[in-house]
Amino acid sequence: MNRLVVCIALFVLAVQVGGTKFTDCGSKSGQVASVVVTDCPDSDDTCILKKGTTKGITINFTSKGASNSAQAVVHGVIAGVPLPFSLKNPDGCKSGISCPIKNQESYTYTNQLPIRRSYPALGVTVRWEIQNDNKDDIVCVEIPCEIR
């Protein structure tokens, strides 16, 4: 009986600490460990972005190089065309990353994406990049989403 309780507890914990489904789209000077979007569990194929709300994102990664800065760039990719999403604070050094970024160190980036009511209801891939001093991607992830 105790083993069953332990197994169930471990399963629940694994689900809670799991991440959001994502694809690495070219992280050049970093390695993504996990991506978590608020209310988008890894059991869902598509993350729902409800108009008029804000989604939080956390990206854990390890750097493969040094940089004095970190700049977030976010696009909604629709039919292969990247359309910019605006962020209130694109500065990664003010979003959880301790700058300067050092080689082989782990970092946690957090930010929020407002989902405007004016956005059309459709499927979109959110491409979230964190770029270094040279505008190369430290991190690049794509998350399948749907705006409703």
Side-chain angles (χ1 to χ4, degrees):
M1 181 67 169
N2 286 340
R3 286 185 183 176
L4 178 61
V5 172
V6 170
C7 286
I8 291 171
L10 288 174
F11 175 77
V12 170
L13 181 62
V15 169
Q16 289 177 342
V17 298
T20 303
K21 287 187 179 179
F22 73 93
T23 303
D24 189 302
C25 53
S27 300
K28 293 180 182 173
S29 59
Q31 173 142 5
V32 180
S34 67
V35 175
V36 177
V37 177
T38 309
D39 298 324
C40 290
D42 64 353
S43 60
D44 294 342
D45 288 333
T46 303
C47 181
I48 304 302
L49 306 177
K50 187 174 178 185
K51 294 180 186 186
T53 65
T54 299
K55 284 286 187 181
I57 187 167
T58 300
I59 302 173
N60 293 299
F61 67 95
T62 301
S63 67
K64 294 182 185 176
S67 181
N68 290 315
S69 66
Q71 190 76 12
V73 178
V74 183
H75 289 90
V77 181
I78 302 167
V81 179
L83 303 169
F85 275 130
S86 62
L87 293 174
K88 283 185 181 181
N89 186 16
D91 187 347
C93 300
K94 294 180 181 176
S95 299
I97 298 173
S98 298
C99 293
I101 295 173
K102 298 175 183 168
N103 189 31
Q104 298 301 315
E105 294 215 5
S106 295
Y107 296 92
T108 298
Y109 165 85
T110 59
N111 210 327
Q112 295 188 336
L113 180 66
I115 313 304
R116 296 187 180 150
R117 292 188 188 280
S118 61
Y119 290 160
L122 50 70
V124 60
T125 298
V126 174
R127 180 182 300 151
W128 205 293
E129 300 162 274
I130 302 171
Q131 298 178 337
N132 65 15
D133 297 332
N134 299 321
K135 298 196 184 291
D136 291 326
D137 288 342
I138 300 169
V139 167
C140 181
V141 296
E142 290 186 336
I143 305 159
C145 298
E146 183 179 334
I147 299 172
R148 291 187 185 169

